Amino acid sequence: MMEKSSNDLECRFLDLEENLKRIREKIAEAAVRSGRTPEEITLLAATKTVPVEVINHGIEIGLDHIGENRVQELCDKYDYLHKEQTDVQFIGHLQTNKVKYLIGKVSMIQSVDSVKLAKEISRLCTQNGSDMQVLIEVNIGKEANKSGILPEKMPELVEEISVFPGIQVRGLMAIPPANADSTEMDRYFSKMSDYFIDMKAKKIDNVTMDYLSMGMSADYAQAILQGANMVRVGSALFGARQY
Ligand SMILES: *Cc1c(COP(=O)(O)O)cnc(C)c1O
């Protein structure tokens, strides 16, 4: 990790504190407006490119769920994170041959979109004697070259992997098309909510539809209004990413 001057870090800490306060207020407002309590919404901090010192300050001031989206970056940061006080998840695209680096490190993988990937998670968890919670990533915009299972194929995938030992399906995740306008976004979020409710009603053994993970910095309040109960927020918390 690059050394940061203490002044620079101090500024980032203060910005983070203000951002977190504002975001919690917006989450609470959207929760109440959609008939829920603020506690029913999980804020997961998307921490890609954010230095460990800043993430740890975030954990100190209450970020109890964080998500990385690249395996290498997660592994680089892992030993230095204050993990006792937060839940570490994986939210990015995952190749089957990299699953091994996540076992025993993260509590949940939000990006399961194939039987092959689920099978590998199950195999390694069984070997390791541990469990992995997973969300099924849905390609809600049906975009070519985007990860996620097509919506019409999602129920079958859930049924098929529900019997795999060592993994537990806990819900759905989506990243709608980046260029969608607000009206289109509403439509994607609302479709995801419908799928989520339908899947919940199926009451599949070993599947608990607890989490609908959608909404990022630009649209988390909108996602909550449409039914999200987990939002993944990066730049609105930590500032614009510097690659
Ligand atoms: C980066 C990232 C986010 C957060 O994006 P922001 O627009 O910075 O809030 C959410 N989900 C995933 C999967 C990401 O990779």
Side-chain angles (χ1 to χ4, degrees), residues 13 23 26 79 104 110 131 140 142 199 210 212 226 235:
F13 288 179
I23 291 167
K26 274 184 75 175
D79 285 345
Q110 296 208 4
D131 267 320
I140 190 64
K142 302 190 181 190
M199 289 308 294
D210 297 319
L212 177 56
Q226 293 291 348
S235 47

Side-chain angles (χ1 to χ4, degrees), residues 46 48 69 91-92 173 175 215-218 232-236 241:
K48 57 176 174 269
N69 76 326
I91 61 176
M173 182 270 237
I175 310 171
M216 312 198 292
S217 289
R232 308 176 311 270
V233 179
S235 47
R241 280 183 285 277

Side-chain angles (χ1 to χ4, degrees), residues 4-195:
K4 299 275 167 187
S5 79
S6 56
N7 245 345
D8 182 24
L9 269 181
E10 204 50 47
C11 284
R12 291 198 68 169
F13 288 179
L14 290 173
D15 284 347
L16 174 56
E17 287 165 25
E18 269 175 34
N19 292 341
L20 178 58
K21 187 160 173 277
R22 196 186 58 245
I23 291 167
R24 288 235 194 263
E25 282 166 7
K26 274 184 75 175
I27 289 176
E29 187 189 309
V32 170
R33 268 181 66 194
S34 56
R36 290 169 295 170
T37 64
E39 294 72 36
E40 286 175 80
I41 314 295
T42 300
L43 168 63
L44 177 138
T47 49
K48 57 176 174 269
T49 78
V50 180
V52 169
E53 300 92 319
V54 178
I55 302 174
N56 281 339
H57 184 70
I59 293 171
E60 208 121 297
I61 60 170
L63 291 178
D64 49 10
H65 292 76
I66 67 169
E68 282 287 340
N69 76 326
R70 299 183 68 174
V71 172
Q72 183 64 54
E73 190 175 343
L74 172 76
C75 292
D76 288 346
K77 291 174 175 174
Y78 190 78
D79 285 345
Y80 307 99
L81 288 172
H82 293 165
K83 296 177 287 287
E84 329 58 56
Q85 301 164 60
T86 200
D87 189 54
V88 183
Q89 305 193 3
F90 189 77
I91 61 176
H93 176 65
L94 181 58
Q95 290 170 293
T96 308
N97 63 352
K98 299 248 174 93
V99 172
K100 57 177 177 279
Y101 300 113
L102 298 182
I103 306 297
K105 285 202 175 72
V106 301
S107 66
M108 182 143 85
I109 296 173
Q110 296 208 4
S111 47
V112 172
D113 60 359
S114 71
V115 172
K116 186 176 165 223
L117 183 57
K119 201 168 265 175
E120 179 66 356
I121 298 170
S122 169
R123 186 183 74 82
L124 290 169
C125 280
T126 310
Q127 212 172 63
N128 189 51
S130 61
D131 267 320
M132 186 69 78
Q133 310 177 75
V134 304
L135 301 185
I136 304 302
E137 182 177 354
V138 179
N139 182 357
I140 190 64
K142 302 190 181 190
E143 296 169 277
N145 309 319
K146 182 131 166 194
S147 41
I149 180 115
L150 288 174
E152 59 269 27
K153 294 190 171 155
M154 180 271 291
E156 196 187 321
L157 176 65
V158 173
E159 298 245 11
E160 190 168 351
I161 72 178
S162 67
V163 298
F164 291 3
I167 71 176
Q168 206 197 356
V169 180
R170 300 290 308 270
L172 305 178
M173 182 270 237
I175 310 171
N179 58 358
D181 65 28
S182 175
T183 312
E184 290 167 327
M185 248 341 165
D186 258 342
R187 214 167 318 145
Y188 290 127
F189 287 148
S190 138
K191 269 195 195 160
M192 280 302 300
S193 262
D194 290 345
Y195 290 124

